[in-house]
Amino acid sequence: MCANLTESELALIQETKSCLSYQKDDTIFKEWSPGYGIYFLTSGKVKLSKLAQNGKETIIRLVKKGDLLGFLILHGNEKFTNTAKALEDSTVCYIPKDTFLTLLNTNSQLSTALFTLFSQELNRTEQSITNVQKTVKERIAETILFMYQIYGFESDNKTIDVSLKREEIGNIALTTLETTVRIIKDFERDGLIELKGKRIVILNMPKLIREANLDN
């Protein structure tokens, strides 16, 4: 989230924010817990998820350095609508709601950026509804591409720069661990990807895009 803040606005954040470090798998905030401010990810990677009635986790968003977390409380929500957990060692800065609203009133670029975030969140909700109509193989392929879109490649320009458990990939694609493992092995056998521990190496991007049914 980019915005050109004035020196006084940056100073205001510096005076009021509290930065905390979290280890991999630590919870930053929980779904339905009171939300009095928002979080800004300054290093690391975070996942946002919701729990279904059966207790199964659905990952709804992957967060990278420079992104906001918990910003939906600015839209009238008094509690967080999801759970945030660190995918790796991460640092987040907490900004009280009133402080952030003050910044919005004095910085039009920040207001525009926040509006864009709300629009993207709505688009993700609509997209998740559409994705249910896809085959499981299409959803797994799209999830791998989504991981690349958020975190990019490592220095080799082919290894996605994030480690997700197979279960977490399935929780994004809305399928089971067993199905996720089977389809990922199929993709590896067909030469689309290669596995490097928990990291995925993309070997054939055009074919992976076709498998995700994104080229129509």
Side-chain angles (χ1 to χ4, degrees):
M1 180 178 183
C2 298
N4 296 320
L5 302 181
T6 66
E7 291 185 4
S8 61
E9 289 166 340
L10 286 171
L12 180 59
I13 290 182
Q14 290 289 340
E15 290 173 1
T16 57
K17 75 181 182 182
S18 175
C19 294
L20 300 171
S21 295
Y22 294 87
Q23 295 183 335
K24 177 180 169 63
D25 294 328
D26 281 352
T27 298
I28 299 170
F29 56 78
K30 290 185 177 181
E31 185 177 3
W32 306 122
S33 62
Y36 303 112
I38 63 174
Y39 294 83
F40 181 77
L41 184 63
T42 59
S43 68
K45 300 177 178 70
V46 170
K47 66 177 180 180
L48 297 179
S49 63
K50 296 180 73 70
L51 284 181
Q53 290 184 343
N54 61 5
K56 181 174 175 58
E57 177 191 60
T58 299
I59 298 176
I60 59 173
R61 188 177 163 216
L62 297 175
V63 182
K64 64 182 184 301
K65 177 182 176 181
D67 284 350
L68 290 175
L69 301 86
F71 59 85
L72 289 181
I73 66 164
L74 302 172
H75 194 55
N77 296 297
E78 295 181 352
K79 296 182 178 180
F80 290 116
T81 58
N82 44 52
T83 295
K85 282 191 175 182
L87 289 169
E88 62 183 38
D89 291 354
S90 303
T91 302
V92 296
C93 291
Y94 173 79
I95 308 173
K97 181 177 180 180
D98 290 345
T99 299
F100 196 81
L101 290 175
T102 298
L103 291 176
L104 287 179
N105 290 331
T106 58
N107 189 292
S108 59
Q109 287 185 317
L110 186 60
S111 298
T112 300
L114 186 63
F115 177 78
T116 300
L117 280 176
F118 282 130
S119 299
Q120 290 173 345
E121 198 71 17
L122 178 60
N123 182 64
R124 267 191 287 267
T125 301
E126 294 175 345
Q127 189 66 39
S128 65
I129 295 173
T130 303
N131 285 351
V132 174
Q133 302 171 9
K134 288 189 169 188
T135 67
V136 177
K137 180 174 282 190
E138 288 172 340
R139 297 203 302 269
I140 294 289
E142 187 170 359
T143 295
I144 294 173
L145 292 169
F146 176 61
M147 292 161 56
Y148 158 68
Q149 179 186 19
I150 298 299
Y151 296 120
F153 286 140
E154 294 181 1
S155 58
D156 62 2
N157 291 320
K158 59 182 182 179
T159 303
I160 302 176
D161 189 21
V162 66
S163 294
L164 289 184
K165 301 172 186 175
R166 301 295 177 258
E167 183 178 14
E168 290 173 324
I169 294 175
N171 290 344
I172 297 174
L174 303 177
T175 190
T176 64
L177 170 61
E178 293 76 12
T179 299
T180 301
V181 171
R182 174 175 56 80
I183 291 177
I184 285 178
K185 286 183 178 179
D186 288 345
F187 287 164
E188 185 178 28
R189 181 200 62 211
D190 295 339
L192 278 71
I193 64 172
E194 181 179 86
L195 301 180
K196 189 165 68 174
K198 291 181 181 178
R199 304 221 166 189
I200 295 176
V201 180
I202 297 181
L203 301 177
N204 193 327
M205 181 74 78
K207 190 171 181 180
L208 190 61
I209 291 173
R210 288 196 295 272
E211 286 288 355
N213 195 18
L214 297 178
D215 55 352
N216 294 327

